[in-house]
Amino acid sequence: MRLQSNQSNTSVEELQQFSEWLLAVGNGQVGGANDDYVEIEIPYGFLIIEFDDPIDAIVNNTYPNLMQEYKNEGFFFFLQSRAILASTIEIVDHINEYVLKMIHGTEKEYLS
């Protein structure tokens, strides 16, 4: 995974801090002993703190200008270069439904 930002307000130092914290979480170095349940404190600077709807805030921060981007040829790459991580499949489904409602067109489901 490679973290990058095209936003001018995100500094290289902030990205470095986030990537180090994310790596520590993935390596089990944050949150204490893991007995299938661990509480991990997210640093304040990584939080989206001003919002009315949490799903809307997460989607808009992860996919800025989604409504303009989905009309472009490079939309697949726009989506591919970003990710929302969620704790449960139910939350993933909720976020997917939210985004699909924003984008107009015919929905097609592929099974694998």
Side-chain angles (χ1 to χ4, degrees):
M1 177 186 298
R2 182 178 308 186
L3 297 176
Q4 60 185 18
S5 175
N6 293 330
Q7 298 175 352
S8 59
N9 62 349
T10 302
S11 71
V12 172
E13 184 178 319
E14 289 174 319
L15 212 53
Q16 180 70 30
Q17 290 173 350
F18 179 71
S19 62
E20 287 173 2
W21 177 80
L22 191 60
L23 187 60
V25 169
N27 288 334
Q29 299 167 334
V30 175
N34 185 347
D35 58 354
D36 293 335
Y37 179 82
V38 176
E39 287 190 23
I40 297 173
E41 186 173 332
I42 301 172
Y44 184 79
F46 300 159
L47 298 175
I48 302 169
I49 55 172
E50 294 184 25
F51 59 86
D52 293 322
D53 177 2
I55 300 299
D56 180 66
I58 291 168
V59 169
N60 286 322
N61 276 276
T62 306
Y63 303 107
N65 303 317
L66 177 66
M67 297 311 296
Q68 290 79 24
E69 291 291 339
Y70 98 92
K71 298 173 186 176
N72 296 332
E73 278 186 37
F75 183 58
F76 175 75
F77 299 107
F78 173 79
L79 292 177
Q80 190 178 38
S81 65
R82 294 160 172 81
I84 297 174
L85 304 178
S87 58
T88 65
I89 193 67
E90 289 81 14
I91 294 171
V92 170
D93 289 341
H94 187 71
I95 292 170
N96 284 340
E97 287 175 22
Y98 181 86
V99 172
L100 287 174
K101 285 180 184 176
M102 293 174 67
I103 299 173
H104 303 287
T106 304
E107 181 180 332
K108 189 167 187 172
E109 186 173 331
Y110 295 92
L111 303 175
S112 62

